[in-house]
């Protein structure tokens, strides 16, 4: 119990520190982290609406784009934030009371809280101003968003060690991640793609997270090819691998030898 209380105190202190260092120097502070994605959704909706006459699902362009963008951001922002955990907390890791696990938990909690606020605000504004009255499966939305966040946690934890060990890997990962926004189903429905592209895109676990989230918003969406088990198993495998690599590299991280 004493160790648990110590972990909770350290984690809470790290969350406050992360908020101060990450958002304290920006205009608007923490509010900017919430309203920036809202502005992005609004801008992309205008562009998307100008290119297409009707969305692939429903009648609302903002809702269709948000149904793909939100689970994507749960993954992308979490992965990016987690990947820089050790670099941002190297000075604190010299203290025995602070462990890499504390830093990971604090960043995960802070980013998850931020993304949840963003998702609630975006969906509220869309429903409020678009007059959408369709029933939504909020439990399914929470599950899908949580699965996307776990995927970001897993890949981000793996990246903590691999970024430190191999600078080339960090560059390769950045190159691979750039087109992810376009090939994860944010703008389209995977089942509308011809073979073999449809089969290939389903190997991307993020596609399943987006289909999962979208199926909770649109009751009529069948989401052919959705495999929730695959998405969860891939995320958990990445988390286990990341924690294993982190445990092996713990001394090197603390002594700044990576």
């Amino acid at each position: 119990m004493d160790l648990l209380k110590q972990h909770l105190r350290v984690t809470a202190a790290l969350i406050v520190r992360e908020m101060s260092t990450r958002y304290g120097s920006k205009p608007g502070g923490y509010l900017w982290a919430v309203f920036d994605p809202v502005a992005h959704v609004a801008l992309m909706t205008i562009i998307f609406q100008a290119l297409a006459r009707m969305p692939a699902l429903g009648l609302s362009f903002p809702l269709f784009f948000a149904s793909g963008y939100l689970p994507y951001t749960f993954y992308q922002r979490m992965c990016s934030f987690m990947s820089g955990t050790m670099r941002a907390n190297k000075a604190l890791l010299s203290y025995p009371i602070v462990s890499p696990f504390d830093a990971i938990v604090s960043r995960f909690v802070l980013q998850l809280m931020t993304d949840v606020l963003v998702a609630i605000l975006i969906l509220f504004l869309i429903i409020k101003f678009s007059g959408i009255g369709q029933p939504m499966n909020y439990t399914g939305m929470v599950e899908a968003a949580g699965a996307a966040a776990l995927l970001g946690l897993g890949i981000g934890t793996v990246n903590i060690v691999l970024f430190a060990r191999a600078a080339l890997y960090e560059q390769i990962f950045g190159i691979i991640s750039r087109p992810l926004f376009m090939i994860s189903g944010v703008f389209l429905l995977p089942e509308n793609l011809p073979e073999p592209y449809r089969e290939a895109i389903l190997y991307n676990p993020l596609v399943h997270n987006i289909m999962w989230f979208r199926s909770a918003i649109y009751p009529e969406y069948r989401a052919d090819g959705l495999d929730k088990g695959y998405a969860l198993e891939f995320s958990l495998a990445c988390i286990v691998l990341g924690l294993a690599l982190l445990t092996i590299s713990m001394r090197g991280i603390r002594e700044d030898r990576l």
Side-chain angles (χ1 to χ4, degrees):
M1 289 300 296
D2 290 338
L3 289 175
L4 178 60
K5 290 179 181 178
Q6 174 180 298
H7 168 66
L8 293 176
R9 287 197 298 269
V10 172
T11 299
L14 288 175
I15 290 175
V16 174
R17 176 185 178 275
E18 291 286 359
M19 290 185 66
S20 175
T21 56
R22 188 180 185 190
Y23 305 115
S25 60
K26 296 181 180 180
Y30 186 72
L31 289 178
W32 179 254
V34 177
F35 286 105
D36 178 54
V38 176
H40 182 73
V41 170
L43 177 61
M44 293 303 297
T45 296
I46 294 173
I47 297 174
F48 190 61
Q49 193 167 357
L51 296 176
R53 299 184 63 180
M54 290 290 293
L57 279 175
L59 301 175
S60 171
F61 281 97
L63 184 61
F64 178 75
F65 178 70
S67 67
Y69 176 75
L70 290 177
Y72 173 81
T73 57
F74 268 90
Y75 158 77
Q76 192 274 330
R77 284 153 60 101
M78 182 66 73
C79 180
S80 177
F81 196 38
M82 298 305 300
S83 297
T85 299
M86 295 303 111
R87 292 177 181 175
N89 293 279
K90 270 188 176 180
L92 294 178
L93 294 176
S94 60
Y95 297 97
I97 195 175
V98 181
S99 72
F101 181 72
D102 295 324
I104 288 173
V105 172
S106 66
R107 284 206 156 199
F108 177 76
V109 172
L110 176 58
Q111 189 60 54
L112 185 62
M113 290 169 54
T114 303
D115 290 337
V116 168
L117 286 175
V118 168
I120 292 174
L121 180 60
I122 289 177
L123 290 175
F124 172 78
L125 291 175
I126 291 174
I127 294 173
K128 178 75 173 178
F129 293 104
S130 298
I132 297 171
Q134 67 188 50
M136 298 183 186
N137 181 2
Y138 294 103
T139 301
M141 292 164 62
V142 170
E143 293 173 348
L150 288 178
L151 179 62
L153 171 64
I155 295 181
T157 305
V158 171
N159 286 346
I160 288 173
V161 178
L162 296 186
F163 280 6
R165 290 186 175 274
L168 180 60
Y169 167 79
E170 184 173 358
Q171 296 177 9
I172 294 174
F173 182 83
I175 294 172
I176 294 174
S177 298
R178 285 169 192 165
L180 197 62
F181 185 78
M182 303 298 298
I183 62 174
S184 295
V186 175
F187 291 103
L188 50 83
L189 301 179
E191 53 268 35
N192 290 344
L193 293 175
E195 296 291 355
Y197 305 108
R198 177 179 177 275
E199 188 68 25
I201 200 175
L202 290 177
Y203 283 102
N204 178 359
L206 187 55
V207 170
H208 296 271
N209 290 324
I210 291 175
M211 293 172 69
W212 189 352
F213 191 89
R214 193 164 268 158
S215 65
I217 290 182
Y218 296 95
E220 70 275 16
Y221 180 41
R222 295 179 59 187
D224 293 332
L226 171 60
D227 190 343
K228 299 177 181 179
Y230 171 72
L232 291 173
E233 289 167 6
F234 193 99
S235 301
L236 293 177
C238 289
I239 292 173
V240 171
L241 176 61
L243 292 177
L245 290 174
L246 198 62
T247 301
I248 296 171
S249 307
M250 190 77 74
R251 172 176 283 189
I253 291 173
R254 282 192 176 277
E255 295 177 2
D256 198 17
R257 289 191 285 106
L258 290 181

